[in-house]
Amino acid sequence: MSKEKKTALSNGVMLNAYPDSIGIKLSDAIEMLQKKEFKDVFSLFYILPTFFNSDLDRGFSIIDYNINKKLVSEEDLKTLNKLNIALKFDIVLNHLSVASRQFKDILKNGEKSKYKDFFINWNTFWENNGEVNKDGIIIPKKEFLDKLFMRKSGLPILKVPFPDGSEKPYWNTFYQEINYDKITVEDLKSVENLSVTEKEEICIKLNNLENKEEILNLDYDNNLKPELLKIVNAKKSFLGQMDVNAKSKLVWDFYEETLKKLSDYGCSILRLDAFAYLHKEIGKSNFFNKPGTWIYLNKIKKIALKNNLTLLPEIHAEYGLHLHDEVAKEGYRIYDFFLPGLMIHTIEKKNNKAIIKWINEIITKNYQTVNMLGCHDGIPVLDLKGKVIDGIYNQGLLEDCEIEDIMNTIINRGGRVKNLFDAEGNKISYYQVNATFFSALGEDEQKLLLARAIQLFMPGIPQIWYLDLFAGKNNYTAANKGGTGSHKEINRTNLSKDDIEIGLKKKIVLNQLKLIRIRNTSKAFLGKITINKSKENHLDIIWNNKNDFAHLTANIETLEFSINYSEKDTIKKIKF
């Protein structure tokens, strides 16, 4: 790794965007980074996984890890390297798309497929540990089912149709999308003893059914229903993020191949998406099972070291579980998912107590973090909670009522809530709130600028969501379209080249760029951080490194702040 990229991992600021978030392809984002306004602003670029070939969840359902040539070129990677911009990518450890070559091979060859055990057949996994229901799906025993950690309502399965007409349930923790083409009279040609008019009426009814299984409840001859269901299923197409079976050697061969490929693309930091769901064991929660998760992490770490990659495990869990502490103690960088909610709480309540507690923990325990305000996902709120473990309550970073206040504030400003469910579809907890960070702050430019300044003075690598940089507002049109993950689209508006040009004339954008440039270039941030004593409605943070310093003083109540810093043997001051 070059000296510049090593420094970036300690001191640099990271842009975060999809390949087509700016303009229509990655080269447009690179063109933006080459503008004079962006000189020395970013040292890293976290490019989200539509960089690869994918088909669902905007990139997180990977078909393969080859470059998506519609959005990215080899020349783009060469240009980023010339700009000394290090790259961060994702590997989605827990799942692959049904359109992956591995799953397609199973669909084609069934039990004879080389990849038969690459994914998890739900019924095979739970065999002899539950009862088969009327749909042929094993329902695990209650003591097992109650322990499962669900990311969506109902069982985490996708029923997959095979060429022989059978359907098999496969483990599908995250998203799936099932679509049906319209049924026409021509499709019903095999159905005998029906007039054209009757067939037209049946087509209307079938096409209006949201749940096609409801065919069995329609007022038709019972002999007709199975044939109609067969016709409907023939018109079915589906997408899904299918959980891989980490007990399979072929899965680990795939990881070896993938990490080598990503390193060759120029990856420096590798985010391990959904890694905590990878280990599955009967009688455990299927989320951060121990010691299985640690065993898998260590195996990935060995592959990463061979390819000169820094790992960043992505994990959302209550602060009170202290999983962030366990992961950090094992020598991994951790995502600071606590900061977004803490930042909103700090600014809205005009109180520094909670955020200073977290900063001091980072310093004391020497956590190596990547922090953020907004991102491609939501604003985390579950992460701030406490947790009861073995009958003892472990304090959260905020009280439940304070977290509810954050959620209500964002929702009242147009945000959407993402919840967690049990196996029966009952809500068990909130998870995150979806909004742009600017809208979450009431679209107040001074609040956004103060939040950015505080983020940039936090320990760790600051990650900047492209839309926050341009003070993007909630996109209700996109969020209201429905479909899988539509709530997330509220904060994923693509910006055109014209949007960038207009944005670069706005003070909120130019002032953020000024702040980011200081953070990205000052050697002070390679040194030591000190939190000076202050009133609860103030923040006073200073970084020192030999003769270099950067000093933030902020009045959280009035939102005014100033930064004194050294630059080439001179002392400068900016005030907002």
Side-chain angles (χ1 to χ4, degrees):
M1 191 182 298
S2 69
K3 182 179 178 182
E4 290 86 354
K5 290 184 179 178
K6 282 183 180 177
T7 301
L9 296 184
S10 301
N11 188 47
V13 183
M14 183 188 302
L15 176 65
N16 179 201
Y18 291 96
D20 57 346
S21 288
I22 296 155
I24 59 173
K25 53 188 177 180
L26 184 59
S27 59
D28 295 326
I30 294 171
E31 183 181 316
M32 180 192 78
L33 291 172
Q34 292 172 316
K35 290 180 178 294
K36 66 180 188 305
E37 293 90 344
F38 283 85
K39 181 174 170 54
D40 297 327
V41 170
F42 293 110
S43 294
L44 303 105
F45 192 173
Y46 172 22
I47 309 176
L48 285 153
T50 46
F51 181 97
F52 313 114
N53 295 314
S54 60
D55 60 10
L56 185 66
D57 191 19
R58 193 140 181 204
F60 286 88
S61 182
I62 303 287
I63 296 172
D64 62 52
Y65 286 88
N66 295 325
I67 288 173
N68 176 358
K69 293 183 179 178
K70 292 179 181 177
L71 302 180
V72 183
S73 71
E74 296 280 357
E75 193 59 37
D76 293 336
L77 300 181
K78 292 175 184 176
T79 305
L80 287 168
N81 187 55
K82 288 176 184 175
L83 290 171
N84 282 324
I85 292 180
L87 300 179
K88 173 183 159 190
F89 290 129
D90 286 281
I91 180 171
V92 186
L93 285 181
N94 180 69
H95 45 266
L96 275 178
S97 167
V98 292
S100 63
R101 62 182 170 84
Q102 294 90 342
F103 203 89
K104 287 167 78 173
D105 194 273
I106 294 173
L107 289 175
K108 180 181 178 182
N109 298 307
E111 291 296 311
K112 294 180 181 179
S113 171
K114 172 184 177 182
Y115 298 101
K116 180 172 73 79
D117 297 321
F118 195 95
F119 299 90
I120 304 171
N121 182 308
W122 176 268
N123 281 357
T124 302
F125 184 92
W126 291 106
E127 192 172 6
N128 300 322
N129 287 286
E131 297 292 329
V132 180
N133 70 6
K134 62 181 178 61
D135 296 319
I137 296 167
I138 293 179
I139 306 300
K141 295 176 182 177
K142 189 175 188 309
E143 63 264 33
F144 300 148
L145 194 59
D146 287 348
K147 288 185 177 180
L148 292 184
F149 183 77
M150 302 294 189
R151 289 297 303 266
K152 59 186 179 183
S153 61
L155 292 176
I157 60 171
L158 176 62
K159 290 169 68 178
V160 179
F162 279 71
D164 64 1
S166 66
E167 283 194 323
K168 295 184 174 67
Y170 276 81
W171 204 311
N172 165 238
T173 295
F174 293 88
Y175 292 118
Q176 59 178 253
E177 187 173 290
I178 300 172
N179 296 301
Y180 293 85
D181 292 337
K182 283 195 172 184
I183 307 298
T184 65
V185 171
E186 178 65 20
D187 295 319
L188 301 180
K189 63 184 178 182
S190 62
V191 182
E192 298 178 352
N193 303 321
L194 288 178
S195 68
V196 172
T197 300
E198 287 173 319
K199 288 181 179 181
E200 287 173 346
E201 289 175 354
I202 288 174
C203 286
I204 291 170
K205 285 187 178 180
L206 293 183
N207 290 327
N208 285 334
L209 285 178
E210 286 191 20
N211 179 3
K212 302 304 181 184
E213 300 287 340
E214 290 178 9
I215 291 169
L216 301 177
N217 298 325
L218 292 177
D219 188 20
Y220 292 137
D221 185 316
N222 284 335
N223 293 323
L224 178 61
K225 291 177 185 178
E227 191 168 357
L228 291 179
L229 190 58
K230 185 177 179 181
I231 290 167
V232 167
N233 282 334
K235 305 282 281 188
K236 178 165 68 174
S237 62
F238 60 95
L239 299 172
Q241 296 164 294
M242 312 308 286
D243 290 34
V244 301
N245 174 20
K247 294 178 182 177
S248 166
K249 180 182 180 299
L250 288 178
V251 168
W252 289 95
D253 290 344
F254 174 72
Y255 291 157
E256 287 266 7
E257 169 194 322
T258 300
L259 266 65
K260 170 68 167 62
K261 185 178 290 186
L262 300 184
S263 179
D264 289 345
Y265 291 154
C267 181
S268 294
I269 300 179
L270 183 60
R271 177 180 181 269
L272 305 182
D273 182 77
F275 84 93
Y277 296 88
L278 185 62
H279 185 270
K280 295 177 175 65
E281 185 176 333
I282 290 170
K284 295 202 172 184
S285 74
N286 76 291
F287 178 80
F288 216 108
N289 295 333
K290 301 173 188 177
T293 300
W294 291 120
I295 293 169
Y296 289 166
L297 260 180
N298 287 332
K299 288 180 73 172
I300 285 286
K301 190 174 185 177
K302 288 177 182 176
I303 303 171
L305 287 172
K306 285 192 295 186
N307 291 284
N308 205 19
L309 296 170
T310 297
L311 294 182
L312 177 61
E314 180 255 359
I315 181 169
H316 282 288
E318 297 92 333
Y319 173 89
L321 270 176
H322 296 303
L323 284 181
H324 66 281
D325 190 54
E326 291 185 44
V327 173
K329 282 178 178 175
E330 292 294 322
Y332 296 98
R333 281 190 177 270
I334 59 171
Y335 243 130
D336 185 354
F337 286 126
F338 309 109
L339 182 61
L342 286 176
M343 188 72 75
I344 293 169
H345 171 81
T346 299
I347 290 174
E348 296 299 331
K349 297 300 180 183
K350 309 180 193 311
N351 189 295
N352 66 22
K353 186 178 177 182
I355 200 168
I356 285 180
K357 175 186 175 183
W358 173 232
I359 296 172
N360 283 331
E361 181 176 344
I362 296 173
I363 295 168
T364 303
K365 297 188 176 181
N366 196 29
Y367 293 155
Q368 302 301 303
T369 65
V370 172
N371 63 52
M372 78 196 70
L373 298 180
C375 68
H376 71 279
D377 220 336
I379 296 170
V381 283
L382 172 75
D383 305 64
L384 298 167
K385 282 175 64 67
K387 186 74 173 178
V388 176
I389 302 175
D390 298 327
I392 299 171
Y393 179 70
N394 290 340
Q395 195 89 21
L397 283 170
L398 293 177
E399 299 296 333
D400 284 356
C401 61
E402 294 174 317
I403 299 170
E404 292 284 353
D405 278 348
I406 291 171
M407 293 174 62
N408 289 334
T409 296
I410 300 172
I411 292 166
N412 288 336
R413 291 169 176 170
R416 308 291 169 90
V417 179
K418 166 70 175 175
N419 294 316
L420 297 175
F421 300 86
D422 63 20
E424 296 175 349
N426 302 309
K427 174 191 167 184
I428 57 172
S429 176
Y430 50 75
Y431 182 61
Q432 63 187 20
V433 188
N434 294 98
T436 73
F437 207 78
F438 184 49
S439 290
L441 291 173
E443 297 175 4
D444 184 312
E445 292 187 359
Q446 187 64 20
K447 284 183 180 180
L448 179 60
L449 200 59
L450 174 58
R452 181 70 67 215
I454 296 171
Q455 180 203 9
L456 294 169
F457 271 74
M458 289 288 295
I461 297 173
Q463 180 177 291
I464 313 291
W465 183 234
Y466 75 99
L467 199 56
D468 291 344
L469 180 60
F470 288 90
K473 298 178 181 180
N474 287 344
N475 186 336
Y476 301 111
T477 302
N480 291 337
K481 282 186 177 177
T484 300
S486 62
H487 54 286
K488 296 181 181 180
E489 296 304 315
I490 201 168
N491 186 31
R492 295 178 176 178
T493 305
N494 288 357
L495 300 178
S496 67
K497 287 186 175 184
D498 286 344
D499 291 330
I500 301 302
E501 292 302 323
I502 293 168
L504 289 175
K505 293 179 174 64
K506 295 179 179 179
K507 282 187 177 180
I508 183 59
V509 178
L510 295 174
N511 284 335
Q512 283 189 83
L513 290 173
K514 185 184 294 184
L515 294 176
I516 296 167
R517 187 178 293 107
I518 294 169
R519 178 65 174 84
N520 192 58
T521 58
S522 173
K523 293 179 181 177
F525 294 97
L526 291 168
K528 181 182 177 184
I529 181 175
T530 302
I531 312 299
N532 293 324
K533 285 187 178 181
S534 63
K535 296 177 183 178
E536 286 191 349
N537 61 352
H538 285 69
L539 269 174
D540 190 324
I541 306 173
I542 187 166
W543 285 83
N544 286 288
N545 180 26
K546 297 179 181 177
N547 295 325
D548 294 292
F549 77 95
H551 187 191
L552 168 69
T553 54
N555 184 325
I556 308 169
E557 189 157 5
T558 66
L559 306 177
E560 295 174 337
F561 67 94
S562 63
I563 296 173
N564 290 359
Y565 64 102
S566 57
E567 184 178 273
K568 296 180 180 177
D569 299 323
T570 63
I571 296 175
K572 296 189 174 184
K573 181 175 182 175
I574 53 175
K575 187 175 181 179
F576 298 96

